[in-house]
Amino acid sequence: MVDVGTIGERSLEVTEKDTALAWGSGTLPVLATPKMILLIEETASAAVAPFLPEGDTTVGTLVDVKHVSASPVGTEVRCRVEVVEVDRARIRFSVSVTDAFGDVGTGFHERFVVHSDKFMSRANSKLS
């Protein structure tokens, strides 16, 4: 069971492959917003995975994040997520991405707990 207050943290040193230019989300060599969102999703998923029953996982369903500051190549960014609400299968996280100069991204992220086999069966039914 996932509890309110569960925390996850990850760090990333921004490289050329993490930039808006590389991701196609802009033309500048700074941390791409989609890469920041991926870091948030990875951090949240990993934070709750140890508490899930075998065969369950989480899927991201909502990202509400402001990207408030640019982080150039060579900058270390730190992502911190905290579970702020658990409502049946829905888990809501407060998220914060920072670098040595302050906030980079802030907001919320939601994930749902799903049964992996059932979820994939439903997804794969779209191929029939």
Side-chain angles (χ1 to χ4, degrees), residues 3 22 30 41 50 56 66 73 80 89 91 94 97 102 105 121-122:
D3 292 323
V30 295
E41 291 215 52
D56 283 4
K66 292 181 182 180
V73 171
R80 183 178 192 276
I91 305 169
S94 171
V97 179
S121 176
R122 196 173 300 145

Side-chain angles (χ1 to χ4, degrees), residues 8-54:
E9 296 181 320
R10 284 196 174 189
S11 295
L12 168 76
E13 182 173 336
V14 179
T15 66
E16 293 291 338
K17 67 180 178 58
D18 304 316
T19 65
L21 180 61
W23 279 70
S25 63
T27 59
L28 300 174
V30 295
L31 179 65
T33 301
K35 178 63 179 185
M36 181 182 72
I37 290 169
L38 176 59
L39 178 62
I40 290 166
E41 291 215 52
E42 290 172 334
T43 306
S45 178
V48 299
F51 305 104
L52 301 178
E54 188 173 333

Side-chain angles (χ1 to χ4, degrees), residues 10-14 31 69-72 74-79 96-105:
R10 284 196 174 189
S11 295
L12 168 76
E13 182 173 336
V14 179
L31 179 65
S69 178
S71 298
T75 304
E76 181 182 34
V77 294
R78 291 169 302 285
C79 179
S96 172
V97 179
T98 59
D99 62 21
F101 303 96
D103 287 340
V104 173

